[in-house]
């Protein structure tokens, strides 16, 4: 497919859009660059908002429904801004059997959020993953990129409370 004959202006004057545009340009504005372009937006802005999805759809000549479908299918994409900290609870088989649901329930109850949500103070985002690849340490959660295993609900809350006390 030929390069996009008419350049579309980004939603804002933010310089981070240059990185996204460079990704699209490097891929010839091909539809097949959709996932890579969405990764560029996510990396640049931290999440995919409606304006960015529309911009990518128009620029790559992909239906908005397809862009939305891809962005909601893959768990690495977020349509909301992430919290300052993230807690990803593994829900894979080993973690599930060894108590993963109890970890998740404790965080949900203590912070009044569900998986995929962020606390009102934007300090904590709660996520789940089908498997984080640390089955021998089950149950496992990933706190700001650090994998902790053999967790209990109380140890999970202790880790989260350290963030709120600025001990991390």
């Amino acid at each position: 497919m030929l390069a996009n004959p008419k350049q579309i202006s980004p939603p804002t004057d933010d310089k981070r859009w240059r990185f996204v545009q460079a990704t699209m340009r490097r891929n010839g504005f091909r539809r097949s660059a959709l996932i890579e372009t969405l990764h560029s937006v996510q990396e640049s802005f931290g999440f995919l908002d409606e304006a960015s999805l529309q911009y990518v759809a128009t620029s790559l000549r992909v239906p908005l429904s397809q862009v939305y479908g891809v962005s909601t299918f893959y768990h690495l994409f977020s349509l909301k801004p992430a919290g300052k900290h993230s807690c990803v609870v593994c829900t894979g088989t080993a973690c599930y059997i060894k108590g993963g649901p109890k970890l998740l329930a404790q965080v949900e109850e203590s912070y009044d959020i569900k998986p995929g949500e962020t606390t009102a103070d934007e300090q904590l985002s709660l996520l789940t993953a089908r498997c984080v690849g640390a089955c021998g340490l089950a149950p496992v959660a990933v706190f700001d990129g650090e994998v902790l295993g053999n967790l209990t609900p109380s140890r999970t809350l202790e880790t989260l409370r350290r963030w709120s006390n600025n001990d991390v």
Side-chain angles (χ1 to χ4, degrees), residues 19 33 41 51 69-70 72 97 124 130 149 152 158 160 168:
F19 176 67
V41 175
V70 168
T72 57
I97 291 170
L124 175 66
R130 287 299 305 146
T152 61
E158 179 184 312
L160 295 173
V168 176

Side-chain angles (χ1 to χ4, degrees), residues 2-135:
L2 297 174
N4 199 348
K6 181 182 172 200
Q7 289 290 326
I8 310 298
S9 296
T12 65
D13 291 337
D14 193 312
K15 293 182 184 201
R16 293 176 286 183
W17 285 111
R18 292 180 185 169
F19 176 67
V20 176
Q21 289 173 316
T23 299
M24 291 188 290
R25 191 172 35 257
R26 183 176 59 251
N27 288 289
F29 291 89
R30 290 187 310 272
R31 298 174 80 143
S32 60
L34 175 59
I35 293 175
E36 186 176 349
T37 302
L38 290 174
H39 276 293
S40 294
V41 175
Q42 175 105 4
E43 186 178 331
S44 298
F45 296 96
F47 70 105
L48 307 172
D49 65 357
E50 186 176 338
S52 65
L53 295 177
Q54 290 176 347
Y55 174 66
V56 170
T58 304
S59 296
L60 299 181
R61 294 180 310 268
V62 175
L64 182 58
S65 59
Q66 183 178 355
V67 174
Y68 181 77
V70 168
S71 63
T72 57
F73 178 79
Y74 293 104
H75 77 278
L76 294 173
F77 294 127
S78 175
L79 300 180
K80 300 175 192 169
K84 180 178 177 183
H85 299 287
S86 67
C87 173
V88 182
V89 177
C90 181
T91 59
T93 304
C95 289
Y96 186 87
I97 291 170
K98 294 219 173 182
K102 291 178 185 174
L103 304 179
L104 194 57
Q106 185 68 60
V107 176
E108 287 178 6
E109 182 181 317
S110 298
Y111 288 88
D112 193 30
I113 56 174
K114 298 282 184 206
E117 295 180 348
T118 299
T119 56
D121 63 2
E122 297 183 348
Q123 290 297 302
L124 175 66
S125 290
L126 177 62
L127 305 164
T128 60
R130 287 299 305 146
C131 183
V132 298
C135 301

Side-chain angles (χ1 to χ4, degrees), residues 140-154:
V140 171
V142 182
F143 300 93
D144 282 350
E146 180 183 354
V147 178
L148 294 180
N150 301 310
L151 289 172
T152 61
S154 61

